[in-house]
Amino acid sequence: MKTEHDILIVGAGPAGMAAAVQLAELGLSPLVIDEQSSPGGQIWRATEGPRSDAVKQALGPEYAEGASRVARFRSSGVDYMPGTRLWHLEPGFQVFMSRDEGAFSRRYSAVLLATGAQERPVAVPGWTLPGVLTVGAAQILLKTSAQVPDAPVWIAGSGPLPLLYMRQLLALGGEVAGFLDTTPKGQLGRAMPHFMAALRGRGDLLKGMEWLRQLRAAGVPWLRGVSDVRALGRERLETLRFATVDGRVHERPASLLLLHEGVVPSIHTTLAMNCDHDWSEAQGCFIPSTNTVGMTSVEGLFLAGDGAGIGGALAAEERGRIAALGIKQYLGQGAPEAQLRTVRANLARRLASRPVIDALYPPPAEEPHDETIVCRCEELTAGELRAAAKLHRGGPNQVKAYTRCGMGPCQGRQCGYSVNRILSQEYNQSRADTGFFRIRPPLKPVTLGELAALEEGREAP
């Protein structure tokens, strides 16, 4: 491993790997760090591991593509440190990281954040009960160890991921008790204006239609227009309660509920660096502002992948390549303009279907009930946050100071958007104007042992 690197890439998913390979081809030598033990990100998680034919078939060709991407990354010669956690980034790019129970810091000339997305938290009554997970968490178990629930699964929410997971689950012998589809009515009307432009990316649309066909053929119980989902139980999930479009309230026995309402960019690092962010109505989230080569409002800090706006794995790769070319320009070494034009055209094609997908699956509009826990770390309810908002009008940070909401280990990852929605309603202002929590270091929990072992200025072990 090189003793010094000028460029740090955080994240070894599709964007980070593509950027690293591109930089290597440009004659540069970045260091890639990632929290996971192997490259691939969430979409291609554990793709290097052994797989039975049944699991390979269930995960599908999109997952299989990851093996070639990871192999190319491995053979690129780029230095890669798995199991490494970024927990602080200072202006001037002094970066603090932890690995193997030790901590170290180093300074870089340019940093590329390829940290991807997270599932949008779904704060419904009972979402903290054992037996309630997210679809993404269930898919991690499936990809890493081929684990399939031994009881019928209830899935509630909206978006492409529940469709994909149900297809994978059924292919491996699992059962779906029912899909509580919370997608609001009118999605085809919302999507229609975008269909012609989306034909350039029709592969994504055809793939989604095939998933729907397979689920219909499998006879999955599908309830559309569901609202007011509640997970009930004493020590763990026992019952589901939900309403349907006809106004009826239903209860069903349940032992496992998976929730999903789309994904949002991971923005905690860009917030901590005071980067400019824009509010996306289509995706219902904040997105860091970037220029045409992926650089944020902080010079030298680049962004690629779903952290720059949700677009999927193939778009993430193109954004990674664009950022790599942008880094070469930023370091004063120039970059082939013809190559930039080609990659930008590829990105436009990869994103062509995105407006249709965003229109088909808009962000959830339901407000959390007063009794619903919003901040899992501090066990604060929506009602308590509304009361605090009335007493301390000012924004998320004032409510945070008064209630401790967002001060736990997750740093607001699980409650930030719910707080933003609640305050927006209470203050009768836009969600963009309401804003998000101010993020303080450390970005991830750090032990005293790691701090005591902190060594600055030398290469990591």
Side-chain angles (χ1 to χ4, degrees), residues 380-417:
L380 292 164
T381 67
E384 290 171 321
L385 294 173
R386 290 185 176 108
K390 290 179 173 63
L391 291 172
H392 301 274
R393 184 182 179 102
N397 293 299
Q398 284 71 23
V399 171
K400 176 180 178 181
Y402 181 68
T403 65
R404 293 189 53 83
C405 182
M407 288 190 184
C410 86
Q411 284 252 44
R413 289 173 177 86
Q414 293 300 309
C415 64
Y417 279 111

PDB file of all heavy atoms in Angstrom, residues 380-417:
ATOM      1  N   LEU A 380     -38.867   9.625  21.848  1.00  0.00           N
ATOM      2  CA  LEU A 380     -39.729  10.809  21.812  1.00  0.00           C
ATOM      3  C   LEU A 380     -40.834  10.606  20.782  1.00  0.00           C
ATOM      4  O   LEU A 380     -40.579  10.132  19.666  1.00  0.00           O
ATOM      5  CB  LEU A 380     -38.914  12.046  21.444  1.00  0.00           C
ATOM      6  CG  LEU A 380     -37.902  12.502  22.497  1.00  0.00           C
ATOM      7  CD1 LEU A 380     -36.902  13.454  21.886  1.00  0.00           C
ATOM      8  CD2 LEU A 380     -38.617  13.151  23.671  1.00  0.00           C
ATOM      9  N   THR A 381     -42.055  10.972  21.153  1.00  0.00           N
ATOM     10  CA  THR A 381     -43.192  10.787  20.268  1.00  0.00           C
ATOM     11  C   THR A 381     -43.441  12.021  19.406  1.00  0.00           C
ATOM     12  O   THR A 381     -42.951  13.124  19.703  1.00  0.00           O
ATOM     13  CB  THR A 381     -44.463  10.485  21.073  1.00  0.00           C
ATOM     14  OG1 THR A 381     -44.811  11.646  21.838  1.00  0.00           O
ATOM     15  CG2 THR A 381     -44.273   9.284  21.993  1.00  0.00           C
ATOM     16  N   ALA A 382     -44.239  11.822  18.367  1.00  0.00           N
ATOM     17  CA  ALA A 382     -44.611  12.941  17.512  1.00  0.00           C
ATOM     18  C   ALA A 382     -45.366  14.003  18.301  1.00  0.00           C
ATOM     19  O   ALA A 382     -45.184  15.207  18.079  1.00  0.00           O
ATOM     20  CB  ALA A 382     -45.461  12.435  16.346  1.00  0.00           C
ATOM     21  N   GLY A 383     -46.210  13.581  19.241  1.00  0.00           N
ATOM     22  CA  GLY A 383     -46.945  14.532  20.067  1.00  0.00           C
ATOM     23  C   GLY A 383     -46.024  15.389  20.910  1.00  0.00           C
ATOM     24  O   GLY A 383     -46.239  16.605  21.050  1.00  0.00           O
ATOM     25  N   GLU A 384     -44.990  14.792  21.484  1.00  0.00           N
ATOM     26  CA  GLU A 384     -44.029  15.553  22.286  1.00  0.00           C
ATOM     27  C   GLU A 384     -43.271  16.557  21.419  1.00  0.00           C
ATOM     28  O   GLU A 384     -42.984  17.683  21.859  1.00  0.00           O
ATOM     29  CB  GLU A 384     -43.061  14.593  22.976  1.00  0.00           C
ATOM     30  CG  GLU A 384     -43.715  13.770  24.083  1.00  0.00           C
ATOM     31  CD  GLU A 384     -42.806  12.675  24.612  1.00  0.00           C
ATOM     32  OE1 GLU A 384     -42.096  12.048  23.800  1.00  0.00           O
ATOM     33  OE2 GLU A 384     -42.816  12.448  25.843  1.00  0.00           O
ATOM     34  N   LEU A 385     -42.964  16.171  20.191  1.00  0.00           N
ATOM     35  CA  LEU A 385     -42.253  17.087  19.302  1.00  0.00           C
ATOM     36  C   LEU A 385     -43.158  18.226  18.853  1.00  0.00           C
ATOM     37  O   LEU A 385     -42.716  19.371  18.722  1.00  0.00           O
ATOM     38  CB  LEU A 385     -41.711  16.325  18.104  1.00  0.00           C
ATOM     39  CG  LEU A 385     -40.619  15.289  18.436  1.00  0.00           C
ATOM     40  CD1 LEU A 385     -40.266  14.462  17.215  1.00  0.00           C
ATOM     41  CD2 LEU A 385     -39.374  15.977  18.980  1.00  0.00           C
ATOM     42  N   ARG A 386     -44.428  17.930  18.632  1.00  0.00           N
ATOM     43  CA  ARG A 386     -45.371  19.000  18.274  1.00  0.00           C
ATOM     44  C   ARG A 386     -45.530  19.992  19.422  1.00  0.00           C
ATOM     45  O   ARG A 386     -45.597  21.209  19.211  1.00  0.00           O
ATOM     46  CB  ARG A 386     -46.714  18.392  17.878  1.00  0.00           C
ATOM     47  CG  ARG A 386     -46.687  17.655  16.555  1.00  0.00           C
ATOM     48  CD  ARG A 386     -48.063  17.152  16.126  1.00  0.00           C
ATOM     49  NE  ARG A 386     -47.973  16.538  14.803  1.00  0.00           N
ATOM     50  CZ  ARG A 386     -48.069  15.222  14.564  1.00  0.00           C
ATOM     51  NH1 ARG A 386     -48.294  14.391  15.571  1.00  0.00           N
ATOM     52  NH2 ARG A 386     -47.956  14.754  13.343  1.00  0.00           N
ATOM     53  N   ALA A 387     -45.579  19.474  20.632  1.00  0.00           N
ATOM     54  CA  ALA A 387     -45.685  20.359  21.794  1.00  0.00           C
ATOM     55  C   ALA A 387     -44.444  21.238  21.920  1.00  0.00           C
ATOM     56  O   ALA A 387     -44.538  22.442  22.212  1.00  0.00           O
ATOM     57  CB  ALA A 387     -45.889  19.527  23.065  1.00  0.00           C
ATOM     58  N   ALA A 388     -43.270  20.646  21.694  1.00  0.00           N
ATOM     59  CA  ALA A 388     -42.034  21.428  21.765  1.00  0.00           C
ATOM     60  C   ALA A 388     -41.984  22.480  20.671  1.00  0.00           C
ATOM     61  O   ALA A 388     -41.494  23.595  20.892  1.00  0.00           O
ATOM     62  CB  ALA A 388     -40.827  20.491  21.649  1.00  0.00           C
ATOM     63  N   ALA A 389     -42.508  22.144  19.488  1.00  0.00           N
ATOM     64  CA  ALA A 389     -42.507  23.098  18.384  1.00  0.00           C
ATOM     65  C   ALA A 389     -43.356  24.320  18.708  1.00  0.00           C
ATOM     66  O   ALA A 389     -43.020  25.444  18.322  1.00  0.00           O
ATOM     67  CB  ALA A 389     -43.023  22.422  17.115  1.00  0.00           C
ATOM     68  N   LYS A 390     -44.453  24.110  19.429  1.00  0.00           N
ATOM     69  CA  LYS A 390     -45.313  25.229  19.804  1.00  0.00           C
ATOM     70  C   LYS A 390     -44.629  26.139  20.823  1.00  0.00           C
ATOM     71  O   LYS A 390     -44.842  27.351  20.853  1.00  0.00           O
ATOM     72  CB  LYS A 390     -46.631  24.702  20.376  1.00  0.00           C
ATOM     73  CG  LYS A 390     -47.538  24.052  19.338  1.00  0.00           C
ATOM     74  CD  LYS A 390     -48.810  23.547  19.984  1.00  0.00           C
ATOM     75  CE  LYS A 390     -49.817  23.052  18.945  1.00  0.00           C
ATOM     76  NZ  LYS A 390     -49.332  21.901  18.186  1.00  0.00           N
ATOM     77  N   LEU A 391     -43.803  25.550  21.687  1.00  0.00           N
ATOM     78  CA  LEU A 391     -43.134  26.328  22.726  1.00  0.00           C
ATOM     79  C   LEU A 391     -41.853  26.990  22.231  1.00  0.00           C
ATOM     80  O   LEU A 391     -41.461  28.049  22.725  1.00  0.00           O
ATOM     81  CB  LEU A 391     -42.800  25.418  23.920  1.00  0.00           C
ATOM     82  CG  LEU A 391     -43.977  24.912  24.752  1.00  0.00           C
ATOM     83  CD1 LEU A 391     -43.495  23.878  25.762  1.00  0.00           C
ATOM     84  CD2 LEU A 391     -44.658  26.064  25.469  1.00  0.00           C
ATOM     85  N   HIS A 392     -41.190  26.356  21.288  1.00  0.00           N
ATOM     86  CA  HIS A 392     -39.849  26.808  20.888  1.00  0.00           C
ATOM     87  C   HIS A 392     -39.759  26.892  19.373  1.00  0.00           C
ATOM     88  O   HIS A 392     -39.016  26.159  18.741  1.00  0.00           O
ATOM     89  CB  HIS A 392     -38.777  25.849  21.427  1.00  0.00           C
ATOM     90  CG  HIS A 392     -38.782  25.723  22.909  1.00  0.00           C
ATOM     91  ND1 HIS A 392     -38.104  26.584  23.737  1.00  0.00           N
ATOM     92  CD2 HIS A 392     -39.430  24.852  23.719  1.00  0.00           C
ATOM     93  CE1 HIS A 392     -38.314  26.243  25.003  1.00  0.00           C
ATOM     94  NE2 HIS A 392     -39.108  25.196  25.010  1.00  0.00           N
ATOM     95  N   ARG A 393     -40.553  27.763  18.802  1.00  0.00           N
ATOM     96  CA  ARG A 393     -40.502  27.927  17.354  1.00  0.00           C
ATOM     97  C   ARG A 393     -39.118  28.396  16.937  1.00  0.00           C
ATOM     98  O   ARG A 393     -38.547  29.311  17.527  1.00  0.00           O
ATOM     99  CB  ARG A 393     -41.550  28.955  16.915  1.00  0.00           C
ATOM    100  CG  ARG A 393     -41.622  29.106  15.404  1.00  0.00           C
ATOM    101  CD  ARG A 393     -42.621  30.157  14.987  1.00  0.00           C
ATOM    102  NE  ARG A 393     -42.637  30.281  13.539  1.00  0.00           N
ATOM    103  CZ  ARG A 393     -43.568  29.760  12.749  1.00  0.00           C
ATOM    104  NH1 ARG A 393     -44.557  29.074  13.287  1.00  0.00           N
ATOM    105  NH2 ARG A 393     -43.527  29.917  11.440  1.00  0.00           N
ATOM    106  N   GLY A 394     -38.585  27.743  15.909  1.00  0.00           N
ATOM    107  CA  GLY A 394     -37.253  28.124  15.461  1.00  0.00           C
ATOM    108  C   GLY A 394     -36.690  27.153  14.455  1.00  0.00           C
ATOM    109  O   GLY A 394     -35.997  27.545  13.528  1.00  0.00           O
ATOM    110  N   GLY A 395     -36.970  25.877  14.599  1.00  0.00           N
ATOM    111  CA  GLY A 395     -36.459  24.911  13.639  1.00  0.00           C
ATOM    112  C   GLY A 395     -35.999  23.635  14.302  1.00  0.00           C
ATOM    113  O   GLY A 395     -36.069  23.479  15.531  1.00  0.00           O
ATOM    114  N   PRO A 396     -35.496  22.699  13.501  1.00  0.00           N
ATOM    115  CA  PRO A 396     -35.072  21.403  14.040  1.00  0.00           C
ATOM    116  C   PRO A 396     -34.026  21.509  15.139  1.00  0.00           C
ATOM    117  O   PRO A 396     -34.064  20.739  16.100  1.00  0.00           O
ATOM    118  CB  PRO A 396     -34.524  20.681  12.809  1.00  0.00           C
ATOM    119  CG  PRO A 396     -35.211  21.317  11.649  1.00  0.00           C
ATOM    120  CD  PRO A 396     -35.393  22.750  12.029  1.00  0.00           C
ATOM    121  N   ASN A 397     -33.104  22.451  15.023  1.00  0.00           N
ATOM    122  CA  ASN A 397     -32.024  22.514  16.018  1.00  0.00           C
ATOM    123  C   ASN A 397     -32.510  23.049  17.363  1.00  0.00           C
ATOM    124  O   ASN A 397     -32.003  22.648  18.410  1.00  0.00           O
ATOM    125  CB  ASN A 397     -30.874  23.352  15.468  1.00  0.00           C
ATOM    126  CG  ASN A 397     -30.216  22.678  14.290  1.00  0.00           C
ATOM    127  OD1 ASN A 397     -29.689  21.574  14.414  1.00  0.00           O
ATOM    128  ND2 ASN A 397     -30.271  23.313  13.130  1.00  0.00           N
ATOM    129  N   GLN A 398     -33.516  23.933  17.340  1.00  0.00           N
ATOM    130  CA  GLN A 398     -34.077  24.406  18.604  1.00  0.00           C
ATOM    131  C   GLN A 398     -34.856  23.287  19.289  1.00  0.00           C
ATOM    132  O   GLN A 398     -34.757  23.097  20.506  1.00  0.00           O
ATOM    133  CB  GLN A 398     -34.994  25.611  18.345  1.00  0.00           C
ATOM    134  CG  GLN A 398     -34.259  26.911  18.059  1.00  0.00           C
ATOM    135  CD  GLN A 398     -33.575  26.925  16.700  1.00  0.00           C
ATOM    136  OE1 GLN A 398     -33.963  26.175  15.807  1.00  0.00           O
ATOM    137  NE2 GLN A 398     -32.555  27.764  16.549  1.00  0.00           N
ATOM    138  N   VAL A 399     -35.635  22.539  18.511  1.00  0.00           N
ATOM    139  CA  VAL A 399     -36.360  21.399  19.073  1.00  0.00           C
ATOM    140  C   VAL A 399     -35.383  20.327  19.553  1.00  0.00           C
ATOM    141  O   VAL A 399     -35.593  19.686  20.590  1.00  0.00           O
ATOM    142  CB  VAL A 399     -37.339  20.828  18.028  1.00  0.00           C
ATOM    143  CG1 VAL A 399     -37.947  19.514  18.493  1.00  0.00           C
ATOM    144  CG2 VAL A 399     -38.445  21.841  17.746  1.00  0.00           C
ATOM    145  N   LYS A 400     -34.311  20.164  18.841  1.00  0.00           N
ATOM    146  CA  LYS A 400     -33.273  19.209  19.240  1.00  0.00           C
ATOM    147  C   LYS A 400     -32.669  19.595  20.599  1.00  0.00           C
ATOM    148  O   LYS A 400     -32.493  18.745  21.478  1.00  0.00           O
ATOM    149  CB  LYS A 400     -32.182  19.173  18.163  1.00  0.00           C
ATOM    150  CG  LYS A 400     -30.979  18.297  18.463  1.00  0.00           C
ATOM    151  CD  LYS A 400     -29.994  18.389  17.291  1.00  0.00           C
ATOM    152  CE  LYS A 400     -28.741  17.567  17.531  1.00  0.00           C
ATOM    153  NZ  LYS A 400     -27.782  17.670  16.395  1.00  0.00           N
ATOM    154  N   ALA A 401     -32.378  20.872  20.764  1.00  0.00           N
ATOM    155  CA  ALA A 401     -31.782  21.324  22.027  1.00  0.00           C
ATOM    156  C   ALA A 401     -32.754  21.166  23.192  1.00  0.00           C
ATOM    157  O   ALA A 401     -32.341  20.859  24.313  1.00  0.00           O
ATOM    158  CB  ALA A 401     -31.354  22.786  21.893  1.00  0.00           C
ATOM    159  N   TYR A 402     -34.032  21.341  22.915  1.00  0.00           N
ATOM    160  CA  TYR A 402     -35.029  21.281  23.982  1.00  0.00           C
ATOM    161  C   TYR A 402     -35.411  19.847  24.350  1.00  0.00           C
ATOM    162  O   TYR A 402     -35.653  19.542  25.519  1.00  0.00           O
ATOM    163  CB  TYR A 402     -36.276  22.049  23.543  1.00  0.00           C
ATOM    164  CG  TYR A 402     -37.376  22.091  24.582  1.00  0.00           C
ATOM    165  CD1 TYR A 402     -37.212  22.807  25.772  1.00  0.00           C
ATOM    166  CD2 TYR A 402     -38.574  21.423  24.376  1.00  0.00           C
ATOM    167  CE1 TYR A 402     -38.218  22.842  26.730  1.00  0.00           C
ATOM    168  CE2 TYR A 402     -39.590  21.451  25.323  1.00  0.00           C
ATOM    169  CZ  TYR A 402     -39.404  22.163  26.499  1.00  0.00           C
ATOM    170  OH  TYR A 402     -40.402  22.202  27.441  1.00  0.00           O
ATOM    171  N   THR A 403     -35.440  18.961  23.370  1.00  0.00           N
ATOM    172  CA  THR A 403     -35.947  17.596  23.612  1.00  0.00           C
ATOM    173  C   THR A 403     -34.875  16.513  23.558  1.00  0.00           C
ATOM    174  O   THR A 403     -35.140  15.385  23.941  1.00  0.00           O
ATOM    175  CB  THR A 403     -37.010  17.243  22.559  1.00  0.00           C
ATOM    176  OG1 THR A 403     -36.401  17.191  21.261  1.00  0.00           O
ATOM    177  CG2 THR A 403     -38.144  18.257  22.550  1.00  0.00           C
ATOM    178  N   ARG A 404     -33.698  16.811  23.010  1.00  0.00           N
ATOM    179  CA  ARG A 404     -32.635  15.838  22.731  1.00  0.00           C
ATOM    180  C   ARG A 404     -32.952  14.975  21.518  1.00  0.00           C
ATOM    181  O   ARG A 404     -32.230  14.023  21.216  1.00  0.00           O
ATOM    182  CB  ARG A 404     -32.340  14.938  23.938  1.00  0.00           C
ATOM    183  CG  ARG A 404     -31.729  15.658  25.123  1.00  0.00           C
ATOM    184  CD  ARG A 404     -31.255  14.665  26.190  1.00  0.00           C
ATOM    185  NE  ARG A 404     -30.361  13.648  25.650  1.00  0.00           N
ATOM    186  CZ  ARG A 404     -29.061  13.807  25.459  1.00  0.00           C
ATOM    187  NH1 ARG A 404     -28.489  14.977  25.771  1.00  0.00           N
ATOM    188  NH2 ARG A 404     -28.320  12.846  24.961  1.00  0.00           N
ATOM    189  N   CYS A 405     -33.987  15.301  20.786  1.00  0.00           N
ATOM    190  CA  CYS A 405     -34.305  14.557  19.568  1.00  0.00           C
ATOM    191  C   CYS A 405     -33.160  14.722  18.562  1.00  0.00           C
ATOM    192  O   CYS A 405     -32.736  15.839  18.270  1.00  0.00           O
ATOM    193  CB  CYS A 405     -35.602  15.087  18.963  1.00  0.00           C
ATOM    194  SG  CYS A 405     -36.122  14.223  17.484  1.00  0.00           S
ATOM    195  N   GLY A 406     -32.643  13.628  18.043  1.00  0.00           N
ATOM    196  CA  GLY A 406     -31.544  13.676  17.090  1.00  0.00           C
ATOM    197  C   GLY A 406     -30.172  13.688  17.719  1.00  0.00           C
ATOM    198  O   GLY A 406     -29.174  13.790  17.002  1.00  0.00           O
ATOM    199  N   MET A 407     -30.091  13.583  19.055  1.00  0.00           N
ATOM    200  CA  MET A 407     -28.793  13.577  19.730  1.00  0.00           C
ATOM    201  C   MET A 407     -28.258  12.176  19.996  1.00  0.00           C
ATOM    202  O   MET A 407     -27.182  12.017  20.563  1.00  0.00           O
ATOM    203  CB  MET A 407     -28.880  14.333  21.058  1.00  0.00           C
ATOM    204  CG  MET A 407     -29.007  15.827  20.923  1.00  0.00           C
ATOM    205  SD  MET A 407     -28.809  16.637  22.529  1.00  0.00           S
ATOM    206  CE  MET A 407     -29.114  18.336  22.088  1.00  0.00           C
ATOM    207  N   GLY A 408     -29.013  11.147  19.623  1.00  0.00           N
ATOM    208  CA  GLY A 408     -28.595   9.777  19.897  1.00  0.00           C
ATOM    209  C   GLY A 408     -27.548   9.278  18.917  1.00  0.00           C
ATOM    210  O   GLY A 408     -27.039  10.023  18.075  1.00  0.00           O
ATOM    211  N   PRO A 409     -27.211   7.990  19.001  1.00  0.00           N
ATOM    212  CA  PRO A 409     -26.161   7.420  18.145  1.00  0.00           C
ATOM    213  C   PRO A 409     -26.435   7.560  16.654  1.00  0.00           C
ATOM    214  O   PRO A 409     -25.501   7.642  15.856  1.00  0.00           O
ATOM    215  CB  PRO A 409     -26.142   5.944  18.556  1.00  0.00           C
ATOM    216  CG  PRO A 409     -26.695   5.921  19.936  1.00  0.00           C
ATOM    217  CD  PRO A 409     -27.719   7.012  19.981  1.00  0.00           C
ATOM    218  N   CYS A 410     -27.723   7.604  16.252  1.00  0.00           N
ATOM    219  CA  CYS A 410     -28.009   7.680  14.808  1.00  0.00           C
ATOM    220  C   CYS A 410     -27.888   9.098  14.277  1.00  0.00           C
ATOM    221  O   CYS A 410     -27.946   9.305  13.062  1.00  0.00           O
ATOM    222  CB  CYS A 410     -29.389   7.102  14.500  1.00  0.00           C
ATOM    223  SG  CYS A 410     -30.762   8.267  14.661  1.00  0.00           S
ATOM    224  N   GLN A 411     -27.745  10.090  15.158  1.00  0.00           N
ATOM    225  CA  GLN A 411     -27.570  11.492  14.757  1.00  0.00           C
ATOM    226  C   GLN A 411     -28.698  11.994  13.860  1.00  0.00           C
ATOM    227  O   GLN A 411     -28.480  12.766  12.943  1.00  0.00           O
ATOM    228  CB  GLN A 411     -26.228  11.673  14.037  1.00  0.00           C
ATOM    229  CG  GLN A 411     -25.027  11.684  14.958  1.00  0.00           C
ATOM    230  CD  GLN A 411     -24.413  13.064  15.091  1.00  0.00           C
ATOM    231  OE1 GLN A 411     -25.098  14.060  15.241  1.00  0.00           O
ATOM    232  NE2 GLN A 411     -23.101  13.124  15.058  1.00  0.00           N
ATOM    233  N   GLY A 412     -29.904  11.508  14.109  1.00  0.00           N
ATOM    234  CA  GLY A 412     -31.038  11.993  13.343  1.00  0.00           C
ATOM    235  C   GLY A 412     -31.303  11.246  12.053  1.00  0.00           C
ATOM    236  O   GLY A 412     -32.194  11.631  11.292  1.00  0.00           O
ATOM    237  N   ARG A 413     -30.572  10.190  11.796  1.00  0.00           N
ATOM    238  CA  ARG A 413     -30.813   9.423  10.568  1.00  0.00           C
ATOM    239  C   ARG A 413     -32.209   8.794  10.573  1.00  0.00           C
ATOM    240  O   ARG A 413     -32.799   8.601   9.517  1.00  0.00           O
ATOM    241  CB  ARG A 413     -29.748   8.346  10.391  1.00  0.00           C
ATOM    242  CG  ARG A 413     -28.365   8.902  10.028  1.00  0.00           C
ATOM    243  CD  ARG A 413     -27.301   7.812  10.021  1.00  0.00           C
ATOM    244  NE  ARG A 413     -26.004   8.340   9.613  1.00  0.00           N
ATOM    245  CZ  ARG A 413     -25.128   8.909  10.430  1.00  0.00           C
ATOM    246  NH1 ARG A 413     -25.428   9.040  11.719  1.00  0.00           N
ATOM    247  NH2 ARG A 413     -23.969   9.362   9.984  1.00  0.00           N
ATOM    248  N   GLN A 414     -32.699   8.448  11.764  1.00  0.00           N
ATOM    249  CA  GLN A 414     -34.004   7.801  11.863  1.00  0.00           C
ATOM    250  C   GLN A 414     -35.146   8.781  12.134  1.00  0.00           C
ATOM    251  O   GLN A 414     -36.302   8.422  11.957  1.00  0.00           O
ATOM    252  CB  GLN A 414     -33.969   6.731  12.962  1.00  0.00           C
ATOM    253  CG  GLN A 414     -33.073   5.548  12.659  1.00  0.00           C
ATOM    254  CD  GLN A 414     -33.499   4.810  11.401  1.00  0.00           C
ATOM    255  OE1 GLN A 414     -34.659   4.448  11.239  1.00  0.00           O
ATOM    256  NE2 GLN A 414     -32.562   4.600  10.490  1.00  0.00           N
ATOM    257  N   CYS A 415     -34.850   9.974  12.576  1.00  0.00           N
ATOM    258  CA  CYS A 415     -35.924  10.902  12.925  1.00  0.00           C
ATOM    259  C   CYS A 415     -35.888  12.209  12.158  1.00  0.00           C
ATOM    260  O   CYS A 415     -36.851  12.981  12.191  1.00  0.00           O
ATOM    261  CB  CYS A 415     -35.897  11.209  14.430  1.00  0.00           C
ATOM    262  SG  CYS A 415     -34.399  12.066  14.977  1.00  0.00           S
ATOM    263  N   GLY A 416     -34.797  12.496  11.456  1.00  0.00           N
ATOM    264  CA  GLY A 416     -34.611  13.820  10.869  1.00  0.00           C
ATOM    265  C   GLY A 416     -35.724  14.244   9.935  1.00  0.00           C
ATOM    266  O   GLY A 416     -36.252  15.366  10.027  1.00  0.00           O
ATOM    267  N   TYR A 417     -36.110  13.357   9.018  1.00  0.00           N
ATOM    268  CA  TYR A 417     -37.148  13.744   8.058  1.00  0.00           C
ATOM    269  C   TYR A 417     -38.524  13.797   8.697  1.00  0.00           C
ATOM    270  O   TYR A 417     -39.374  14.601   8.280  1.00  0.00           O
ATOM    271  CB  TYR A 417     -37.134  12.806   6.854  1.00  0.00           C
ATOM    272  CG  TYR A 417     -36.055  13.172   5.854  1.00  0.00           C
ATOM    273  CD1 TYR A 417     -34.946  12.363   5.659  1.00  0.00           C
ATOM    274  CD2 TYR A 417     -36.133  14.355   5.136  1.00  0.00           C
ATOM    275  CE1 TYR A 417     -33.948  12.701   4.761  1.00  0.00           C
ATOM    276  CE2 TYR A 417     -35.137  14.724   4.238  1.00  0.00           C
ATOM    277  CZ  TYR A 417     -34.046  13.895   4.057  1.00  0.00           C
ATOM    278  OH  TYR A 417     -33.055  14.254   3.181  1.00  0.00           O
TER     279      TYR A 417
END
